[in-house]
Amino acid sequence: QQQVKQSPQSLIVQKGGISIINCAYENTAFDYFPWYQQFPGKGPALLIAIRPDVSEKKEGRFTISFNKSAKQFSLHIMDSQPGDSATYFCAANAGNMLTFGGGTRLMVKP
Amino acid sequence: KAGVTQTPRYLIKTRGQQVTLSCSPISGHRSVSWYQQTPGQGLQFLFEYFSETQRNKGNFPGRFSGRQFSNSRSEMNVSTLELGDSALYLCASSLWNKNTEAFFGQGTRLTVV
């Protein structure tokens, strides 16, 4: 049972554009929401994370928006660069167990 | 500060064999979790260890087991390998308290033939 639904599965954005990835969860016990970036042949790398008492968090070009009532959160990548081309995973934590979304393969065209 | 180290990076095993994978967490991290990544099922939680005790377990058969040593290093074992066990096995380490960032290693790519 997939408890974290991620969309879209793939995304193509022009260089300089905004990439937006969305996730929705069901389990209200989740209390920490990280995003990971994964390049081929590498393990997932922590990008940015948010706790449910915060509605938005920004780190550089990356912003998480969190809507607790809707049980949704999203990642915005501003000024997307070709080097951002990777697979992105949202995740939700409960009791030190991460439940991952299905992943979004992002391609940023030069 | 060294990251999470997983060994070996690649393994090829035959059906029915068993395999042991190793993970050395970031210095000072006491929680170690294991995940399986496949194209079909994505990233799935296997188990989590803290202070040599398994605190959480995912929905995997008993063929999958693990342990943690007093220095926080962890191993996972898969017995009676099946073709479907072919996957990238990832280890993540974090500090002892809940809801802190989990950092992943590069993984061990297991191929079962």
Side-chain angles (χ1 to χ4, degrees), chain A:
Chain A
Q1 180 186 4
Q2 185 182 12
Q3 296 187 43
V4 179
K5 294 185 179 180
Q6 183 173 344
S7 63
Q9 286 186 314
S10 62
L11 182 61
I12 299 174
V13 173
Q14 290 294 128
K15 178 183 175 181
I18 303 174
S19 304
I20 302 174
I21 305 171
N22 301 299
C23 285
Y25 64 97
E26 301 165 0
N27 187 354
T28 54
F30 290 140
D31 54 10
Y32 173 71
F33 301 86
W35 283 87
Y36 286 87
Q37 178 190 58
Q38 187 176 30
F39 292 103
K42 304 288 186 183
L46 180 65
L47 201 57
I48 187 172
I50 198 167
R51 303 189 192 283
D53 54 346
V54 176
S55 61
E56 185 174 283
K57 182 176 182 180
K58 183 177 180 179
E59 289 184 0
R61 297 185 294 110
F62 301 92
T63 300
I64 300 179
S65 298
F66 188 85
N67 186 329
K68 188 175 181 178
S69 61
K71 291 188 281 186
Q72 294 176 347
F73 58 111
S74 60
L75 175 70
H76 290 63
I77 306 174
M78 312 299 286
D79 188 27
S80 298
Q81 299 297 312
D84 296 331
S85 298
T87 301
Y88 293 79
F89 293 93
C90 63
N93 180 79
N96 268 23
M97 294 185 293
L98 286 170
T99 300
F100 284 87
T104 296
R105 187 170 292 186
L106 170 66
M107 179 186 296
V108 181
K109 288 193 167 183

Side-chain angles (χ1 to χ4, degrees), chain B residues 52-84:
Chain B
E52 303 177 65
T53 301
Q54 184 182 89
R55 291 199 296 192
N56 297 292
K57 189 177 191 306
N59 188 25
F60 279 82
R63 299 185 297 105
F64 291 81
S65 63
R67 60 177 175 168
Q68 187 181 34
F69 303 94
S70 58
N71 61 358
S72 294
R73 192 177 70 85
S74 177
E75 290 181 347
M76 68 163 282
N77 184 78
V78 187
S79 62
T80 319
L81 285 165
E82 300 177 0
L83 295 178

